[in-house]
Amino acid sequence: MRFLHFLICCCVCFSGFSLKAQEQYAIRVVFAGKDATTYSLTQPQAYLSERAINRRSKYGLAIDSTDLPVPTAYVNQVLTTSQGVLHTTSKWHNSCVVLVADTTTLALVRTFPFVQNTHPVGYYQDGLHQKPTGPSPSGGAVPLDFDENYYGAAWDQINLCRGAYLHEQGLMGQGVLIAVIDVGFNGVPTIAAFDSLRAGSRIADVWNFIEQDDQVYQNSGHGTQVLSCMAALLPQTFVGTAPYATYALYTTDHLSTEQSIEEDNWVAAIERADSLGADLVNSSLGYNEFDQPEDTYTYAQLDGQTTLVARAANIATAKGMTVISSAGNEGNNNWHYLLTPGDADSALTVGASDINKQVATFSSRGPNAAGVLKPDVAAMGVAASVINGSGQVVQQNGTSIATPILTGLVACLFQARPNTTPAYLRAVIRAAGHLHEQPNYELGHGVPDFYEAYQQITAIKEQEQTANPYYIYPNPARDGIYIRGHFPSSGVAISLFSLSGQGLLERHLNGQHMHYVGLPALPQGIYLLKLKDKNGIFFEKLVIE
């Protein structure tokens, strides 16, 4: 079930259609490899933006085969044989989705040596790629006090997280690119609260992955409400949590059906966000139940690594993007667990609280099926203020709204330390939660205090020294770490500290290429690892999960 239906009732107008189209079946085709690619790992500028390449370089991430586009020759042969229409491709999953009128043509496709398997993911009686009419996309002064008067109706939800402190430091999202994956963004081209967004040309990209066009400003105002929590700038009426960030707006959800193809749309959107160089992704969508019973997930499958969208969220994180996902609004239902991709191991999953930091009854409960603590944190999702598709300030309930409130503040925190990895950023935010010492499966680590998060993320100054010659992994860690490098004969002294300076471990490692170091039982959070050899002192931030 799709939890945004709990949040709003959408009235969708289909009057823009021309004539009735032929029925279409959506088929996911997974390829066995990328041998026919015309691209090279040594020339990534052909398929990644400069910003995306720089993000990989910043985090020391290799460009690998998952970055290579799906081979055009494979896709073209599938289209020619099936007489189908291309819907999406996924370079991460090495697949495409084609729309066909006759599924018997897939029998021959399945015999191709480069095809691993096919799977039906959707059916549309009137076809899919029909284009309703709608507007085409169109391309503040510093306040004296960041107070209730300035934020207007958004004050309570920002103040609950002490988010105004970040804005007081001049951190309002400048230079941060946030991809918003949602349903529709009605009214964004005309609503006054987005005047600054439009005037500053800070809508970097738009795409409708359902209709495969740029018509995102239609069908629903859900995305508008989500975007307003971050991007709105209407002082004394409503100011969002990251009003000067840059945004990419993607629609992936078909309102009249609930089919597995929507996961393919979501994957295509997050891959496009990666190629664009997005820093953060906000997803206020979630899935577990589909129209076709065989596609519906069991709780056991929501283990953080199984569903199509959870796997994509984990890949996105590995490529340097911070993925922030709603937990879901299933707390009052028989299925009271998370929805996917909120179960993803690496996602920062957000539950909903009220203004007193008490869990909302509807907020989905964790853990995920592998026992991982979820949600990670929470934000205000009961009677939270938003701007709807008509430009009005209204109140709404839902983790769909709690998520962008938090995402905007995460963007401002990231702005303070733009070299921060997704894992470290997530750990800082969890550590700032009001329940951090005793997290639970309702609110996770609780509502973060962004004053505390800022103090923590800026506590360790950037080291002006030679790059650390030792490689520490895994990071995040749990029970132990490996330290790899060229150890001098005199060895290396290592020390582990809390951010408050408390010594937790000391070891001397003699000359080898790799050592395993067991860690004491430690609370989840961020620690500082110090390595000292004859050449100098080196520091590494270590995240314990």
Side-chain angles (χ1 to χ4, degrees), residues 236-258:
Q236 300 182 343
T237 300
F238 192 102
V239 177
T241 49
Y244 293 123
T246 300
Y247 294 88
L249 310 181
Y250 300 136
T251 60
T252 64
D253 217 67
H254 198 289
L255 283 171
S256 63
T257 64
E258 187 68 10

Side-chain angles (χ1 to χ4, degrees), residues 373-378 435-436 438-447:
L373 179 72
K374 293 285 179 177
D376 293 275
V377 290
L435 299 176
H436 180 58
Q438 293 183 308
N440 59 45
Y441 294 138
E442 295 182 336
L443 294 177
H445 293 258
V447 176

